[in-house]
């Protein structure tokens, strides 16, 4: 382009003043002055060429920039694909592993296909090897027999030749070797004719080497040449490749020695094995295609058979899960009379038996609950009458003799106890019948705690215990049923005072952004792990030999646990023999809220357990599940790491260590 640009300003005739102007003057010469003659107009051909060159250069720059942008975008796409390829492969691998672990059908089909592929690969390799060996041996035997025949024919021709001049010798050798190639348009065999090296006699030989189809002695393996050169009249062969057109064909080279006019020659006959190789390739293709089709058929058969066997098992697993979820009417579909059908029938019979027993147990439980409820309601009227009579006798006890006075006092106290027990039974029956309703309203929990402490003050003074309230907050508003929370806290506080052996009882209150917690800690007799495991059971007492004149009805903590469930809260207990007990109530600040972590630790901070941290055990009782709790390690030396199972998710799970 540069050379074209330099030639543009020159005039075609090469004369000055012919109207051609330099490129820099072109913009100024485009306008013709008024006085200029028409024949003196400037020539603009050079300017047009310059503009075309500039346009081409500009387009070249634009397309170069576009190519760079395209290359950058493609490279980004490749990098992004590679970046997402590894996670995709990892996800696919994990999916396959998960499918392998969870699906018996998938595992069986894949194992069948894998074993079939391995078996077919072994058998196919063996068959292919045998076919190839047979084809090669057949062609080798043919090549050896033909080589012996034609080498003998060549040697006989050379021995009977009566030629002395150079042209006759060359013609004889040429015709004889061409006859070895065979007749027809297709060459049956090729030859390489080479004089044995390091021969000094005769010196007047006129043929040094000759080969057919532009071959050279290089196509002969060196090992074969060495064997032929060192042999006498023996025949040797070797596998080789030689060019035919633009391709290399496999073949067999058979070598012999021949003598002509006193000169020893190496004669190699090459046999093309391309047809045999094509036949072997076709056989292998048929084997592979047939094997692939066979593997697909085996996989389909394995899938069909496995599905017929595994589907009932999978169906049984689904039905069993539904039965475990409470859908007792679920049954398996039974077809046929085989083993699977008998299994399904047995499963259905078992499910029917379980349903009948569970129904009977549920009926008995309902009857028991109804009996308790009915008896409790029926006892209210006569109990009220007896209580009124007991109050009259109790008020008039001063007029009785000592024996009757004591009887009136015992009657009054036991009637009060009986009425309390009856009220608890009625409350339990409401919970069992699902008739308990939560009437939550926003209220300050400190006001409720103050009322509970004030109400328990006479009992605390009687036992000689001091109730201490600890909190960093002054007011905590909670949406709660004040009547039920009052009953829970009153029960916990009275139990702590009763079992505190005159030692102080600590009430601690704390809150976070989602929950409020109240713990009642005593330093009395405490509880063993076995006792703490049953502390929320109905009618259970820690000391069965204890007189029934002390303690409650045995339903207080059970009712407290049910009240806590209505609030979607946690009620948890910790205890150790001789170290006291600690009960923690955790409630959500909002009605229907969920608790993730309790604001207070369940294990007291002031506890010092003997032994190292791994050896110390703390028992945590969950009121949501009436089962034996599991021990959790306690580390009181670090308050932040102490056993606080309130961080566990779910209301029913928080109290377990």
């Amino acid at each position: 382009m540069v050379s074209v640009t330099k030639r543009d300003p020159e005039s075609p005739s090469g004369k000055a003043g012919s109207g051609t102007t330099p490129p820099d003057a072109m913009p100024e010469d485009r306008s013709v002055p008024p006085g200029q003659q028409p024949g003196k107009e400037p020539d603009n051909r050079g300017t047009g060429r310059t503009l075309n060159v500039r346009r081409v250069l500009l387009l070249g720059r634009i397309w170069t920039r576009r190519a760079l942008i395209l290359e950058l975008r493609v490279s980004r796409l490749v990098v992004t694909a590679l970046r997402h390829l590894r996670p995709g492969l990892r996800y696919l691998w994990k999916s396959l592993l998960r499918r392998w672990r969870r699906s018996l059908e998938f595992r069986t089909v894949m194992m069948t296909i894998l074993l079939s592929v391995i078996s077919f690969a072994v058998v196919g390799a063996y068959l292919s090897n045998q076919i190839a060996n047979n084809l090669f041996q057949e062609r080798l035997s043919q090549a050896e027999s033909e080589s012996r025949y034609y080498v003998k024919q060549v040697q006989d021709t050379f021995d009977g030749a009566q030629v002395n001049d150079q042209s006759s010798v060359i013609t004889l050798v040429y015709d004889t070797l061409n006859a070895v190639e065979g007749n027809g348009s297709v060459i049956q065999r090729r030859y390489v004719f080479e004089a044995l090296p390091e021969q000094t006699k005769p010196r007047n030989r006129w043929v040094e080497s000759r080969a057919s189809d532009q071959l050279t002695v290089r196509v002969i393996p060196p090992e074969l040449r060495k064997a032929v050169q060192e042999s006498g009249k023996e025949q040797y062969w070797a596998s080789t490749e030689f060019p035919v057109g633009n391709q290399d064909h496999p073949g067999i080279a058979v070598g012999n020695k021949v003598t002509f006019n006193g000169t020893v020659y190496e004669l190699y006959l090459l046999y093309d094995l391309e047809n045999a190789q094509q036949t072997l390739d076709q056989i292998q293709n048929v084997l592979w295609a047939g094997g692939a089709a066979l593997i697909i058929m085996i996989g389909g058969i394995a899938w069909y058979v496995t599905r017929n066997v595994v589907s009932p098992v999978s169906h049984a697993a689904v039905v069993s899960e539904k039965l475990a979820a409470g859908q007792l009417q679920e049954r398996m579909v039974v077809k046929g009379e085989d083993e699977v059908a008998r299994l399904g029938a047995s499963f259905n019979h078992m499910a029917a038996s379980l349903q009948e027993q569970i129904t009977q147990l549920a009926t008995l439980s309902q009857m028991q609950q109804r009996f308790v409820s009915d008896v409790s309601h029926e006892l209210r009227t006569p109990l009220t009458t007896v209580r009124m009579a007991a109050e009259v006798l109790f008020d008039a006890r001063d007029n009785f003799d000592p024996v009757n006075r004591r009887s009136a006092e015992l009657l009054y106290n036991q009637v009060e106890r009986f009425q309390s027990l009856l009220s608890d039974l009625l409350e339990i029956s409401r919970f069992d019948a699902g008739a308990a309703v939560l009437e939550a309203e926003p209220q300050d929990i400190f006001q409720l705690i103050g009322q509970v402490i004030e109400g328990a003050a006479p009992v605390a003074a009687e036992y000689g215990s001091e109730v201490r309230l600890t909190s960093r907050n002054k007011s905590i508003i909670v949406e709660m049923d004040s009547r039920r929370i009052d009953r829970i806290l009153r029960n916990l506080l009275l139990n702590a005072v009763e079992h505190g052996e005159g030692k102080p009882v600590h009430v601690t209150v704390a809150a976070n952004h989602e929950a409020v917690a109240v713990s009642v800690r005593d330093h009395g007799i405490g509880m063993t792990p076995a006792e703490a495991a049953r502390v929320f059971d109905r009618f259970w007492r820690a000391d069965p030999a204890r007189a029934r004149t002390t303690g409650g009805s045995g339903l207080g903590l059970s009712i407290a646990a049910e009240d806590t469930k209505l609030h979607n809260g946690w009620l948890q207990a910790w205890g150790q023999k001789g170290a006291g007990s600690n009960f923690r109530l955790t409630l959500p600040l909002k009605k229907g809220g969920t608790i993730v972590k309790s604001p207070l630790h369940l294990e007291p901070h002031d506890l010092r357990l003997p032994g190292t941290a791994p050896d110390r055990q703390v028992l945590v009782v969950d009121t949501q599940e009436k089962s034996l709790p599991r021990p959790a390690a306690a580390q009181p030396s670090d308050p932040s790491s102490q056993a606080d199972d309130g961080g566990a998710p779910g209301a029913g799970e928080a109290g377990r260590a």
Side-chain angles (χ1 to χ4, degrees):
M1 297 181 186
V2 178
S3 60
V4 175
T5 305
K6 289 184 178 180
R7 290 198 300 267
D8 285 341
E10 297 179 1
S11 172
S13 59
K15 297 180 181 180
S18 59
T20 303
T21 57
D24 296 339
M26 292 304 297
E28 299 177 358
D29 294 342
R30 288 180 180 177
S31 59
V32 180
Q36 187 176 358
Q37 298 180 1
K40 298 298 183 177
E41 292 181 357
D43 189 1
N44 295 330
R45 288 177 295 177
T47 304
R49 293 178 182 178
T50 304
L51 293 176
N52 290 335
V53 171
R54 292 178 179 176
R55 187 179 297 109
V56 169
L57 292 175
L58 180 60
L59 291 176
R61 294 191 189 99
I62 294 174
W63 283 106
T64 302
R65 185 175 300 174
R66 290 180 178 178
L68 292 176
I69 294 174
L70 180 62
E71 182 180 0
L72 180 61
R73 291 179 178 178
V74 171
S75 62
R76 288 179 179 177
L77 288 176
V78 171
V79 172
T80 304
L82 293 177
R83 188 179 301 167
H84 291 81
L85 180 61
R86 190 171 182 180
L89 293 177
R90 188 183 298 112
Y91 174 78
L92 179 61
W93 176 251
K94 290 183 178 179
S95 300
L96 291 176
L97 288 180
R98 183 163 56 257
R99 183 75 172 175
W100 178 273
R101 291 192 304 267
R102 298 183 177 181
S103 177
L104 178 62
E105 179 181 351
F106 178 78
R107 188 162 61 247
T108 304
V109 172
M110 293 303 297
M111 285 296 297
T112 304
I113 293 177
L114 180 61
L115 294 177
S116 299
V117 169
I118 295 175
S119 302
F120 178 76
V122 174
V123 175
Y126 175 76
L127 292 177
S128 178
N129 187 39
Q130 291 297 319
I131 293 172
N133 289 336
N134 292 336
L135 289 175
F136 182 79
Q137 291 297 331
E138 181 182 359
R139 195 70 180 96
L140 177 60
S141 300
Q142 181 182 359
E144 288 180 338
S145 61
E146 290 182 1
S147 296
R148 291 190 184 94
Y149 173 76
Y150 285 106
V151 168
K152 184 177 181 302
Q153 186 177 2
V154 170
Q155 187 62 58
D156 293 342
T157 302
F158 286 166
D159 292 341
Q162 300 293 331
V163 291
N164 296 320
D165 57 299
Q166 180 179 0
S167 60
S168 300
V169 170
I170 294 175
T171 301
L172 176 63
V173 172
Y174 179 76
D175 293 341
T176 302
L177 295 178
N178 285 342
V180 173
E181 290 185 343
N183 299 324
S185 58
V186 180
I187 299 177
Q188 299 179 1
R189 65 194 64 81
R190 292 168 176 80
Y191 66 87
V192 174
F193 189 71
E194 183 76 18
L196 194 68
E198 300 180 0
Q199 291 187 84
T200 58
K201 294 181 180 181
R203 298 179 180 275
N204 59 346
R205 61 176 180 266
W206 293 297
V207 178
E208 289 290 340
S209 62
R210 193 170 187 84
S212 62
D213 198 17
Q214 300 180 355
L215 297 178
T216 62
V217 75
R218 294 181 179 178
V219 301
I220 308 301
E223 297 83 1
L224 179 59
R225 290 201 62 190
K226 183 178 180 181
V228 171
Q229 292 172 3
E230 295 177 354
S231 67
K233 295 296 184 179
E234 294 83 1
Q235 178 175 274
Y236 296 92
W237 67 272
S239 299
T240 185
E241 288 185 353
F242 54 88
V244 178
N246 296 328
Q247 298 179 351
D248 290 338
H249 288 189
I252 299 176
V254 182
N256 290 272
K257 283 183 180 180
V258 294
T259 305
F260 182 54
N261 286 342
T263 302
V264 180
Y265 290 90
E266 304 172 27
L267 177 58
Y268 300 97
L269 299 183
L270 285 79
Y271 294 86
D272 194 350
L273 299 181
E274 181 64 22
N275 293 333
Q277 183 64 41
Q278 293 178 358
T279 302
L280 180 62
D281 293 341
Q282 293 177 359
I283 294 174
Q284 290 179 346
N285 293 334
V286 171
L287 287 175
W288 287 116
L294 184 61
I295 289 173
I296 294 175
M297 293 176 60
I298 291 175
I301 294 172
W303 172 79
Y304 178 76
V305 174
T306 306
R307 184 176 183 181
N308 289 336
V309 176
V310 175
S311 294
V313 179
S314 302
H315 183 54
V318 174
V319 172
S320 63
E321 291 176 356
K322 292 182 178 179
L323 290 174
Q327 303 178 15
L328 302 179
Q329 73 281 358
E330 290 292 330
R331 296 293 184 273
M332 289 184 60
V333 178
V334 180
K335 296 180 180 180
E337 299 178 357
D338 54 4
E339 292 82 356
V340 178
R342 291 198 298 270
L343 174 63
S346 301
F347 186 89
N348 291 339
H349 179 70
M350 178 189 68
S353 177
L354 290 176
Q355 182 181 10
E356 182 179 358
Q357 295 179 11
I358 292 175
T359 303
Q360 291 178 358
L361 291 175
T363 303
L364 291 176
S365 177
Q366 292 177 0
M367 292 176 60
Q368 180 182 6
Q369 295 173 6
R370 191 179 301 112
F371 174 78
V372 172
S373 178
D374 294 342
V375 170
S376 301
H377 282 84
E378 293 296 331
L379 288 177
R380 293 183 65 181
T381 301
L383 180 61
T384 302
T385 304
V386 173
R387 181 184 179 185
M388 293 175 61
E391 289 179 353
V392 171
L393 294 175
F394 183 78
D395 292 339
R397 68 184 183 280
D398 294 336
N399 300 325
F400 299 158
D401 56 84
V403 176
N404 292 331
R405 183 186 305 114
R406 180 57 180 166
S407 299
E409 292 175 354
L410 291 176
L411 177 63
Y412 179 79
N413 293 331
Q414 292 303 319
V415 168
E416 289 288 337
R417 180 180 178 84
F418 188 27
Q419 187 173 10
S420 176
L421 176 61
L422 185 60
S423 300
D424 291 343
L425 285 174
L426 288 173
E427 190 68 23
I428 285 292
S429 65
R430 294 190 187 98
F431 285 117
D432 293 338
V437 180
L438 182 67
E439 299 177 358
E441 295 180 356
Q443 187 175 354
D444 189 359
I445 196 171
F446 282 99
Q447 181 180 357
L448 187 62
I449 295 174
Q451 296 176 1
V452 172
I453 294 177
E454 183 179 356
V459 181
E462 180 181 355
Y463 281 93
S465 297
E466 180 184 1
V467 180
R468 301 175 182 177
L469 176 62
T470 304
S471 178
R472 295 182 179 179
N473 306 89
K474 295 182 179 180
S475 176
I476 301 176
I477 305 299
V478 185
E479 293 184 4
M480 59 182 176
D481 190 335
S482 58
R483 180 179 64 87
R484 298 182 184 277
I485 300 302
D486 178 89
R487 182 165 56 191
I488 296 173
L489 296 177
R490 191 177 303 275
N491 190 292
L492 296 180
L493 185 57
L494 291 178
N495 283 342
V497 170
E498 181 181 352
H499 300 89
E501 296 182 339
K503 298 178 181 179
V505 176
H506 296 272
V507 179
T508 308
V509 185
N512 54 23
H513 64 283
E514 61 184 12
V516 61
V518 181
S519 67
V520 180
R521 168 81 164 100
D522 67 81
H523 302 79
I525 58 178
M527 296 181 294
T528 63
E531 294 172 349
R534 302 189 57 189
V535 71
F536 295 103
D537 291 349
R538 298 179 183 181
F539 299 106
W540 181 85
R541 299 171 68 90
D543 185 7
R546 182 182 298 176
R548 288 292 177 175
T549 56
T550 60
S553 62
L555 296 174
L557 291 179
S558 299
I559 296 175
E562 296 293 340
D563 287 334
T564 306
K565 288 181 182 179
L566 286 178
H567 288 81
N568 197 22
W570 303 342
L571 181 58
Q572 300 154 327
W574 169 92
Q576 185 180 4
K577 202 67 175 178
S581 304
N582 186 40
F583 287 81
R584 181 181 66 181
L585 172 65
T586 308
L587 300 173
L589 295 178
K590 301 294 182 180
K591 180 180 178 181
T594 303
I595 304 174
V596 178
K597 184 177 181 180
S598 180
L600 292 176
H601 291 280
L602 181 60
E603 180 188 355
H605 291 285
D606 58 349
L607 183 66
R608 294 296 181 265
L609 297 177
T612 59
D615 299 332
R616 297 195 292 263
Q617 300 294 324
V618 175
L619 184 69
V620 179
V621 179
D622 184 6
T623 64
Q624 303 293 330
E625 297 181 5
K626 301 298 187 297
S627 59
L628 287 176
R630 293 173 292 180
Q635 300 177 7
S637 59
D638 185 5
S640 62
S641 63
Q642 289 182 352
D644 181 14
D645 298 304
E653 301 291 338
R656 292 189 298 177

